[in-house]
């Protein structure tokens, strides 16, 4: 997990065509803060975005095609409260 806002940088190996995983707000988060999760390319184009999630929201799954991307991929979180813990779960890079 990470605190919002955050940016995680990934460098996929050659042949990786898809990123998959789950996102959610950690149950240890206090208060009513929310987080939005984004997957972005090296040119800062949004490849996927979650709705606003709170501690009461169920985790949601994502799948992003990165087959034709050049450069790194960025997992970004944003929110309205720095006490929100955002979780990227079971991230997988698939051929």
């Amino acid at each position: 997990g990470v605190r919002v806002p955050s940016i995680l940088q990934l460098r996929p190996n050659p042949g990786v065509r898809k990123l998959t995983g789950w996102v959610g707000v950690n149950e240890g988060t206090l208060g009513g803060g929310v987080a939005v999760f984004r997957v972005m390319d090296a040119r800062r184009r949004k490849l996927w975005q979650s709705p606003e999630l709170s501690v009461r929201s169920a985790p949601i799954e994502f799948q992003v095609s990165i087959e034709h991307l050049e450069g790194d991929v960025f997992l970004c979180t944003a929110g309205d409260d720095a006490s929100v813990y955002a979780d990227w779960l079971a991230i997988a890079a698939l051929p």
Side-chain angles (χ1 to χ4, degrees), residues 15-20 63-67 92-95:
V16 170
R17 295 179 18 203
K18 186 187 320 183
L19 287 178
T20 66
Q63 294 185 13
V64 177
S65 172
I66 60 170
E67 185 171 7
L94 304 173

Side-chain angles (χ1 to χ4, degrees), residues 24-92:
V25 174
N26 188 285
E27 59 195 24
T29 295
L30 302 175
V34 298
V36 174
F37 297 78
R38 291 182 186 97
V39 178
M40 307 197 56
D41 70 9
R43 294 182 180 182
R44 298 186 182 200
R45 289 182 297 189
K46 183 173 36 178
L47 305 174
W48 177 84
Q49 179 173 310
S50 75
E52 284 189 347
L53 299 177
S54 72
V55 71
R56 292 178 297 280
S57 304
I60 60 171
E61 185 176 16
F62 73 92
Q63 294 185 13
V64 177
S65 172
I66 60 170
E67 185 171 7
H68 300 291
L69 294 184
E70 293 181 15
D72 295 346
V73 176
F74 298 87
L75 308 180
C76 307
T77 59
D80 61 354
D81 184 343
S83 67
V84 174
Y85 289 95
D87 292 335
W88 293 89
L89 308 163
I91 303 299

